[in-house]
Amino acid sequence: VSRAELQHELAVAAYDRAIALYGEIFTDNFSTDDVFRYLQTLEAAGITQGIVGNTRKARRHYERQLMIASERAAKEPDNLDWQRQRSVSFNRIGNVLAVQNNIGAALVAYRNGFTVLESLIATDPTRDDWQLDLAVSHIKIGDMLAAQGDTDGAIAVYRESLGIYERLAADDPTSSGRQRDVAASKMRLGNAQLAKGEAVRAQQQYRDAFGIFETLAEDETTNLDAQFDLSIAYEKIGDVLVGQGSASEALGSYRDGLRIVERLVASSPANTQWQYAVSIFSKKIGQGLLSAGDDVQAMKSIQSALAVLKRLAAIDPANDKWGYELAVAQSRFGDALIASGDTDRGLAAYRDGFAITESLAANDPADSGLQRDLFAFWIKIGRVQLGRGQNDDALTSYREGL
């Protein structure tokens, strides 16, 4: 067990003890300061549980936080801090639901938080902290709209957030945090523009963001979040280069990003977000190598992605996002194996990916994307069977896909 993992385990245990004690002594007669301390403990515990991958427990902490804040807000309507706490709780719950790939429910939670913030800002539009919260809400809502394929809606709210961040950065030009917010918002806007097919506009947003992140990473070499931001900028630039047919340059960008996140994971092995980033970079590098005909190296990269995703899925089986990525990685691994002539292992990889996707589809039968993925697996399985002369099996697979 690494030092970082031990620290997280100790933190989880400490927060569990504190919350258990609060549960025993909490009453409606708690002072405002004591209630806020309780809510802060719940939030910190939820964040820690999220870091170690226990999203269910994190959500329970945030829902408890929301319930208490809502009760206090009803009793003390003039205390606007309770309303802000409600908006924070809604966002935290939305974060957990998004990580679990429950996009519709996450969007509802984020919009609930946004509604609370709008009512707050109506009382005092000059509060920078509330404006910052509003920009974050725009980002969260945009992320969910983008996940649902509503790129126009996502672009609109990302532009709203970027406008707020740019105004705040102009008011405080020496703040690295404000600069980071601008860059992160540009990244989100670029993502939506790329999804819409506006590659040139997306590339400009990514390069603007990259310039800011690079400066921040150079100025704050010990700031791990700044380093992670830079890695994501490398990823997005790589995505644009892939779309433009510059596969070799894209691989270079992905490898630069992978080197950063591997260093981050080495410093904090328990951080599941950074582990997940390693899997994404490894998968994209593997895809690039597979397209270039380097099957051996492609297989190594995709196997690295698989190993990480299997660990993450074991940590949090309820996390559908990790399950989905594991299924995709199994499909890519199968492609690499088939290309190398290993049809037995390739077919097994396809079937493993199919089983994961089938389970996800059973949990969300309305998700047409998962149904398309099931169809794609049947086609791949059938193609392998046909190539091996198993015509009857291939016909059965093709029919299953229909």
Side-chain angles (χ1 to χ4, degrees):
V1 178
S2 72
R3 182 177 180 181
E5 288 174 313
L6 181 60
Q7 288 174 335
H8 284 127
E9 288 177 7
L10 291 173
V12 166
Y15 284 129
D16 283 347
R17 288 194 298 272
I19 289 170
L21 179 59
Y22 269 119
E24 292 175 5
I25 64 175
F26 180 72
T27 69
D28 290 341
N29 296 324
F30 258 39
S31 69
T32 296
D33 287 344
D34 285 339
V35 174
F36 270 116
R37 277 192 285 271
Y38 184 18
L39 298 185
Q40 288 167 356
T41 302
L42 286 167
E43 184 166 359
I47 292 170
T48 305
Q49 292 286 1
I51 289 173
V52 300
N54 192 338
T55 54
R56 289 179 179 175
K57 199 160 188 178
R59 182 177 172 183
R60 286 202 298 271
H61 290 325
Y62 297 143
E63 287 174 342
R64 174 68 173 163
Q65 184 188 44
L66 175 61
M67 184 187 73
I68 294 171
S70 297
E71 290 173 350
R72 286 287 167 151
K75 292 178 180 179
E76 303 174 33
D78 294 334
N79 187 338
L80 299 182
D81 287 337
W82 295 124
Q83 294 296 341
R84 182 179 183 276
Q85 184 61 65
R86 290 182 67 231
S87 75
V88 170
S89 299
F90 276 124
N91 269 1
R92 293 292 187 188
I93 292 168
N95 291 347
V96 173
L97 291 165
V99 167
Q100 293 177 337
N101 212 33
N102 192 343
I103 304 303
L107 181 58
V108 171
Y110 290 141
R111 281 178 166 157
N112 285 338
F114 181 84
T115 300
V116 174
L117 280 171
E118 278 192 315
S119 66
L120 279 177
I121 290 172
T123 67
D124 186 358
T126 66
R127 287 277 299 266
D128 283 353
D129 55 341
W130 292 352
Q131 291 290 334
L132 186 61
D133 288 343
L134 188 65
V136 171
S137 280
H138 279 305
I139 288 283
K140 301 292 187 181
I141 291 169
D143 288 349
M144 297 305 100
L145 292 173
Q148 291 180 335
D150 184 359
T151 52
D152 288 332
I155 286 171
V157 292
Y158 287 149
R159 282 181 173 148
E160 290 285 347
S161 72
L162 179 58
I164 295 171
Y165 284 137
E166 287 179 331
R167 288 196 300 274
L168 294 174
D171 291 340
D172 190 3
T174 63
S175 169
S176 60
R178 294 287 182 264
Q179 294 300 319
R180 180 182 182 274
D181 290 338
V182 170
S185 192
K186 282 180 172 290
M187 291 282 286
R188 293 305 212 295
L189 180 55
N191 293 345
Q193 290 170 329
L194 186 62
K196 192 179 178 182
E198 299 175 350
V200 174
R201 291 181 178 177
Q203 187 173 35
Q204 186 58 56
Q205 298 293 347
Y206 291 150
R207 294 202 180 278
D208 288 348
F210 181 88
I212 296 171
F213 285 143
E214 188 174 38
T215 298
L216 293 175
E218 290 172 353
D219 291 345
E220 303 175 16
T221 55
T222 60
N223 186 330
L224 301 186
D225 288 334
Q227 302 297 319
F228 182 66
D229 289 338
L230 182 60
S231 77
I232 299 304
Y234 274 119
E235 179 196 0
K236 296 307 177 182
I237 290 173
D239 291 346
V240 173
L241 290 168
V242 167
Q244 294 175 337
S246 302
S248 178
E249 292 180 65
L251 277 173
S253 192
Y254 291 147
R255 283 168 171 152
D256 286 339
L258 178 60
R259 278 191 286 271
I260 293 173
V261 292
E262 284 180 333
R263 289 198 300 270
L264 294 176
V265 169
S267 71
S268 182
N271 190 308
T272 54
Q273 181 186 24
W274 294 345
Q275 290 184 53
Y276 178 66
V278 168
S279 76
I280 294 301
F281 277 114
S282 297
K283 184 185 71 174
K284 290 186 175 184
I285 291 169
Q287 288 173 325
L289 291 168
L290 192 61
S291 298
D294 191 345
D295 302 336
V296 174
Q297 293 303 316
M299 203 178 303
K300 289 180 179 179
S301 290
I302 296 170
Q303 280 181 306
S304 295
L306 271 172
V308 174
L309 288 166
K310 285 178 179 178
R311 287 198 300 271
L312 292 176
I315 291 171
D316 188 4
N319 190 321
D320 287 348
K321 181 178 181 180
W322 292 346
Y324 174 77
E325 290 295 342
L326 179 57
V328 171
Q330 289 284 12
S331 178
R332 297 292 181 266
F333 187 43
D335 294 344
L337 289 165
I338 297 301
S340 70
D342 190 345
T343 57
D344 286 339
R345 292 175 65 207
L347 191 57
Y350 289 152
R351 284 177 169 149
D352 287 345
F354 176 86
I356 297 168
T357 307
E358 189 176 39
S359 177
L360 294 173
N363 293 334
D364 189 3
D367 190 327
S368 59
L370 291 173
Q371 296 301 322
R372 286 194 298 270
D373 291 342
L374 288 173
F375 169 77
F377 272 115
W378 279 124
I379 295 302
K380 288 187 175 187
I381 291 169
R383 189 178 297 133
V384 174
Q385 291 168 329
L386 191 63
R388 296 169 62 163
Q390 299 168 330
N391 297 344
D392 290 342
D393 290 340
L395 183 59
T396 298
S397 295
Y398 290 145
R399 283 174 174 162
E400 288 286 350
L402 294 178

